[in-house]
Amino acid sequence: MMAQAKLIIAGLVALAFLGLFSAAAVYRGNAIAAEAETARVQASLDLALDANKVSAATIDRMQKQDAANDKIAADLAVKLAAANTALIETTTARADLKGKDENARSYLDTPVPDSVRRLYDH
């Protein structure tokens, strides 16, 4: 009877060790899977951070280009306003001269020769 009890106890101890070993193996497998998932997530994070850096650089470059475009547009608007003012002043001066000076009126009323007109029409 005593031998049988020792065998039962030895069997129970062996089953307990097998259970502990199995649990340890499961936890180890879970730990390995978790490490692999962590590495995958870290790689995805690194990729996203790199993409964000590229996007930030692109946005910065586009903002600088937008500011440069705004400056060019403002400069062109100033030049256009100056050209319009000069045109108005010249047109007004010519009209005033034509109205006040007989020689200027006679000259301005003279038709432009076709050979000269072709230079300006092309």
Side-chain angles (χ1 to χ4, degrees), residues 7-117:
L7 281 174
I8 292 174
I9 291 174
L12 289 174
V13 169
L15 281 174
F17 277 118
L18 284 175
L20 286 174
F21 178 74
S22 296
V26 168
Y27 285 126
R28 186 175 186 314
N30 289 344
I32 291 170
E35 287 176 6
E37 180 65 12
T38 300
R40 187 190 67 74
V41 169
Q42 185 62 48
S44 294
L45 178 61
D46 291 344
L47 185 63
L49 290 174
D50 289 344
N52 282 345
K53 287 178 186 175
V54 170
S55 295
T58 300
I59 289 169
D60 185 53
R61 191 172 53 254
M62 290 175 77
Q63 287 173 336
K64 287 178 181 175
Q65 184 62 50
D66 191 43
N69 290 347
D70 288 347
K71 184 182 180 322
I72 291 169
D75 291 347
L76 287 175
V78 168
K79 288 178 182 179
L80 180 60
N84 283 337
T85 300
L87 177 62
I88 290 169
E89 289 172 356
T90 301
T91 303
T92 303
R94 190 181 74 212
D96 288 346
L97 188 60
K98 187 176 180 180
K100 295 177 184 174
D101 185 338
E102 182 60 38
N103 287 333
R105 183 178 21 251
S106 175
Y107 174 77
L108 292 171
D109 287 341
T110 305
V112 176
D114 287 341
S115 59
V116 175
R117 185 182 311 274

